[in-house]
Amino acid sequence: MAASIDSAGDTRPAGVMKTVNLAPAKWIWLPSQRTLANTFVLFRRSFTAGAKILSARGGITADSRYLLTVNGRRVQWGPAPSDPRWLDVDGVDILPYLREGENVIGVEALYYGLGDGTSPMGKPGVICNIRVEYGGGGGEDIVSDGTWLSYLDRARGRGHYKRWYLRSLQEEFDAGLHPYGWNEPGFEPGPAWMPAMVIDHPADKPIASGPYNEYQTDSCVDAGVSALVEREIPPMREIEVPARGLVDSFHVEWRRDPNDWFEYRMPGSFEIAGKDAARETAEGGWELHGAAGSRAAVATFDFDEQVVGWPYFTIDAPAGTVVEVITQESHDPSSGLWLDRHWYRWSRFICREGRNRFENFEYESLRWIQLHVRNAGGPVRISGVGVRRRIFDWPNEARIKCGDKDIQQVIDAALNTLSNSAQETCVDGMGRERQQYSGDVGHQLHAVRYAYGETGMPARFLRTYSQGLTLDGYFMDCWPAYDRLARLPQRQVQATRWGPLVDHGVGFNFDCWNHYMETGDLDAVREAYPRLLRFAGYLETIRGDDGLLKVEDIGIPAVWMDHDGFRMQRHKRCSFNLYTAAMLKHALGPLCRAFGDDRKAEEHEARGEELERLAVKTFWDASGGIFVDNLPWLDDDGGLRCHDRTLAMSILFDQCPEGDTEGAVAR
């Protein structure tokens, strides 16, 4: 396997990624010199189809997110979270949405501009290339260029603050400012619509390496390294799921400006002021009362199970009525009625006169929706509450059945959790972080492969996660996401204890080996393999004078292993060294052999044997027949400490001298 070292120091296998060139399409954006965070831009391209259309396929991507429509109908939302140096291009088929005569392709693009759990950094831009073929021969290319019209959608809260550290978009939409019908035939663009600005950048490169000035971070990735990459997994399925019904309703009396709460969480901003703010109507909706002045009406709805998707609802209300949509994954009604308690999980919609159907642009993870309605100078009616659920297009449905009803409920809940967290990336905290860790989500990959027969998503995980290798050789353990990228400078000035987690990099070696063992697909590991070797080289740099890997004073990275089980950081040293020894012997070494590199296999397996021997020498208590995490410091600590992870590892990987596992099992 050929590997090359680029100018940024990244070891990248040659010819592994399926690159894409969307020429003659151009990168386009709003004519501008800077773009504020959370800016939405609408792009419109009309064309006339005068003959029978046989096919209409192509590719599209954007930084940061896009919603593609054709003739006003939703087609797809993307792209999947990916390294901005190797941005995914989504395949698209718009044939079902086209008709003879005038057609309009619409792209609603969001530029985060701020770090997000699904987007570490980037620059604004959209690129699209669709080939339309007609019956009888001939066709045309619908490509993004200067003929497309662009519009700054001031209905959205451009320049808005972040929701929180790992959620960029605090969504706000004012229906009175939105150009409804903009993506449908017959719409007449006014003077606010301008020809799109063409960005002078190759159509096979991500816009993050382009010349547009990213004024907030002044970043620009190396164009010599980067490429557009073909999406490896199918598009997400979207299913409309109606709410089960109204759970409760109540009034809120605001003692301060509501923004004092939503923006700042000022105490004493409001109080609950009575129940029954909504009554069901004969049409199957709900009428809300008491939503004017300092009083708001609140209606809470739930679903049969937790889902991930885009909340929507319909409201008939006077112009200027404000609705905060609050979502939650878990809720105990006996603990209180108000759902907006943490992580600022709200979006705001401002009504135009009459009927409004609102749908979030950004997806959420939820089981409860709460509509907080205020500033209504007349009757308010709510209907059509639901979620456009996004779910991976599994090749097989998982069917796991047992005779015990309670156990079956747990199994069904576990499968639903997997569908919610394993989508385009496998993430931890879908409602809060949406980040792709190895140590926190690597176990999901087993279930994805075995329960659903899906191997493409885990293969994509191996590619995208491995791309988070730093120049020093350790992995940013939740890549591609903002968290660890932001931690690098913070660690330099002791502003956080969270550095890139080295033990997650160890776990990633097992992720790669397990994928190969369970699928036989060595190509899925090919891009990650040289990065694993680099990481093993990094581990050699953090050995102490005693030959064991250090867990303290290692600079920017950190060794985590567990939140609470280890009383002191130094107590992790035994567990971390046993874990790394197991990785070298049982994951990386065998992978080297699979790639035909026996010399490296022997080298890494020997290092694993050495670490294991040194761990036994330092931490093995022969009298008790167990590894003791604080054996060198017993006198200082006032008693021995044994962590479950240390003991379990010593059994799983046969690390107890002479196979003596009795003490570990008993402990």
Side-chain angles (χ1 to χ4, degrees):
M1 179 191 65
S4 61
I5 307 294
D6 58 57
S7 60
D10 172 48
T11 302
R12 179 161 55 94
V16 174
M17 292 179 285
K18 297 178 181 178
T19 58
V20 177
N21 191 335
L22 292 176
K26 308 290 187 183
W27 280 102
I28 59 173
W29 192 243
L30 180 79
S32 58
Q33 294 184 31
R34 77 169 182 175
T35 299
L36 303 181
N38 292 324
T39 288
F40 283 80
V41 178
L42 310 180
F43 294 95
R44 171 187 166 90
R45 169 69 154 84
S46 63
F47 71 99
T48 300
K52 182 179 180 181
I53 308 170
L54 297 181
S55 65
R57 295 188 179 91
I60 181 173
T61 193
D63 192 338
S64 306
R65 298 291 178 260
Y66 72 85
L67 173 60
L68 174 67
T69 61
V70 174
N71 296 327
R73 296 170 61 194
R74 182 186 181 103
V75 178
Q76 66 187 35
W77 189 97
S82 55
D83 190 308
R85 295 168 293 181
W86 299 291
L87 183 66
D88 270 15
V89 173
D90 294 335
V92 61
D93 181 358
I94 65 171
L95 180 62
Y97 306 90
L98 296 178
R99 58 195 180 196
E100 188 173 341
E102 184 185 6
N103 291 272
V104 175
I105 295 175
V107 178
E108 183 176 9
L110 160 66
Y111 174 60
Y112 283 135
L114 299 166
D116 185 90
T118 64
S119 177
M121 60 181 179
K123 295 185 177 186
V126 171
I127 190 167
C128 175
N129 186 331
I130 297 174
R131 176 66 181 175
V132 180
E133 298 282 356
Y134 298 116
E140 59 180 313
D141 294 316
I142 309 298
V143 298
S144 51
D145 57 22
T147 67
W148 288 48
L149 294 179
S150 65
Y151 178 88
L152 175 62
D153 191 3
R154 295 185 177 275
R156 302 286 188 176
R158 69 216 171 279
H160 222 337
Y161 45 82
K162 295 176 71 165
R163 174 184 285 190
W164 83 289
Y165 171 52
L166 294 178
R167 290 295 299 270
S168 178
L169 181 63
Q170 185 77 73
E171 191 163 350
E172 187 167 334
F173 179 82
D174 187 341
L177 301 177
H178 186 66
Y180 282 93
W182 68 273
N183 54 358
E184 299 177 19
F187 177 79
E188 294 293 336
W193 288 81
M194 299 178 289
M197 176 178 69
V198 173
I199 300 174
D200 185 16
H201 192 57
D204 62 347
K205 300 289 184 181
I207 196 60
S209 61
Y212 190 93
N213 178 42
E214 202 296 282
Y215 83 102
Q216 295 193 86
T217 64
D218 196 28
S219 64
C220 187
V221 307
D222 188 344
V225 175
S226 59
L228 293 180
V229 180
E230 179 182 312
R231 182 185 175 107
E232 301 166 296
I233 53 177
M236 300 293 291
R237 287 193 295 135
E238 296 182 3
I239 307 165
E240 292 196 12
V241 180
R244 182 163 59 180
L246 182 71
V247 175
D248 54 47
S249 66
F250 57 95
H251 286 106
V252 166
E253 186 70 31
W254 286 98
R255 302 301 186 192
R256 305 181 61 89
D257 185 324
N259 282 321
D260 288 350
W261 172 261
F262 287 111
E263 295 176 358
Y264 296 97
R265 289 292 191 270
M266 288 188 185
S269 292
F270 68 92
E271 63 180 21
I272 304 300
K275 299 264 290 181
D276 301 323
R279 66 173 185 85
E280 190 167 3
T281 65
E283 296 78 21
W286 294 267
E287 186 174 286
L288 274 61
H289 63 89
S294 62
R295 180 162 286 210
V298 183
T300 306
F301 302 85
D302 73 344
F303 295 83
D304 289 326
E305 59 185 0
Q306 184 177 331
V307 297
V308 173
W310 298 271
Y312 60 77
F313 65 99
T314 297
I315 180 170
D316 286 280
T321 299
V322 178
V323 185
E324 274 89 21
V325 179
I326 305 166
T327 62
Q328 271 296 350
E329 296 173 293
S330 63
H331 171 52
D332 179 5
S334 66
S335 67
L337 300 173
W338 184 247
L339 292 188
D340 186 31
R341 298 173 184 168
H342 56 269
W343 308 122
Y344 312 98
R345 297 185 57 175
W346 58 268
S347 302
R348 179 174 294 148
F349 296 90
I350 303 173
C351 297
R352 59 176 178 167
E353 188 71 33
R355 173 167 291 221
N356 298 262
R357 186 190 183 279
F358 292 126
E359 181 170 334
N360 283 46
F361 182 87
E362 185 70 274
Y363 62 86
E364 304 288 352
S365 178
L366 69 150
R367 190 176 174 186
W368 280 267
I369 292 179
Q370 193 166 82
L371 303 181
H372 171 261
V373 183
R374 57 189 174 92
N375 200 40
V380 174
R381 295 178 179 85
I382 300 289
S383 61
V385 180
V387 171
R388 185 189 302 273
R389 185 175 191 179
R390 67 192 319 259
I391 192 168
F392 190 82
D393 191 13
W394 302 113
N396 304 285
E397 288 298 323
R399 294 178 180 172
I400 305 173
K401 303 295 181 183
C402 75
D404 187 291
K405 184 176 72 172
D406 293 336
I407 295 177
Q408 185 64 52
Q409 185 177 7
V410 172
I411 292 172
D412 292 343
L415 289 173
N416 186 62
T417 297
L418 188 62
S419 285
N420 287 335
S421 59
Q423 301 206 340
E424 294 155 320
T425 48
C426 294
V427 306
D428 173 60
M430 180 59 84
R432 182 171 70 103
E433 302 165 80
R434 308 187 299 180
Q435 295 192 138
Q436 181 175 261
Y437 299 87
S438 170
D440 290 357
V441 304
H443 56 283
Q444 296 180 20
L445 305 177
H446 298 286
V448 167
R449 290 186 290 258
Y450 281 120
Y452 293 99
E454 170 59 29
T455 60
M457 181 198 297
R460 186 181 188 277
F461 168 84
L462 302 184
R463 174 175 71 84
T464 56
Y465 183 92
S466 75
Q467 289 168 349
L469 187 76
T470 62
L471 296 180
D472 288 333
Y474 54 82
F475 291 102
M476 287 186 284
D477 58 285
C478 56
W479 198 252
Y482 178 66
D483 191 351
R484 293 311 189 257
L485 189 66
R487 300 304 189 192
L488 300 183
Q490 290 175 344
R491 288 284 286 180
Q492 289 280 12
V493 293
Q494 298 86 43
T496 182
R497 67 190 181 104
W498 293 111
L501 304 180
V502 182
D503 44 301
H504 281 216
V506 173
F508 181 60
N509 280 261
F510 283 107
D511 294 335
C512 292
W513 173 245
N514 290 333
H515 186 84
Y516 172 56
M517 288 296 291
E518 294 174 16
T519 67
D521 182 11
L522 195 60
D523 280 343
V525 190
R526 195 172 299 278
E527 183 177 336
Y529 175 62
R531 295 172 179 148
L532 301 181
L533 299 180
R534 282 273 302 281
F535 175 70
Y538 161 75
L539 291 175
E540 288 298 298
T541 70
I542 61 170
R543 284 195 182 223
D545 293 338
D546 58 1
L548 288 169
L549 301 175
K550 297 187 293 183
V551 296
E552 298 176 284
D553 301 322
I554 60 173
I556 291 176
V559 174
W560 174 63
M561 303 297 288
D562 191 305
H563 266 301
D564 304 313
F566 296 98
R567 183 172 294 174
M568 303 178 68
Q569 182 68 16
R570 67 189 184 188
H571 294 170
K572 301 176 182 179
R573 201 172 188 211
C574 177
S575 190
F576 180 54
N577 277 272
L578 290 178
Y579 190 32
T580 304
M583 176 273 285
L584 292 168
K585 292 173 61 177
H586 302 292
L588 183 55
L591 267 179
C592 291
R593 295 190 192 281
F595 279 104
D597 200 338
D598 291 344
R599 183 184 62 79
K600 277 192 170 57
E602 293 171 1
E603 175 185 320
H604 293 305
E605 288 164 354
R607 288 178 179 174
E609 291 282 359
E610 182 186 11
L611 285 180
E612 185 177 309
R613 177 180 59 79
L614 292 171
V616 169
K617 177 182 176 182
T618 307
F619 296 100
W620 178 255
D621 176 18
S623 62
I626 54 173
F627 284 97
V628 176
D629 292 317
N630 66 334
L631 189 61
W633 313 286
L634 275 178
D635 293 340
D636 295 335
D637 291 353
L640 62 84
R641 300 285 298 176
C642 296
H643 192 282
D644 289 347
R645 180 161 183 173
T646 308
L647 300 175
M649 209 140 36
S650 69
I651 297 170
L652 287 172
F653 296 107
D654 194 24
Q655 294 170 319
C656 299
E658 308 299 327
D660 181 10
T661 61
E662 185 175 342
V665 172
R667 187 79 184 185

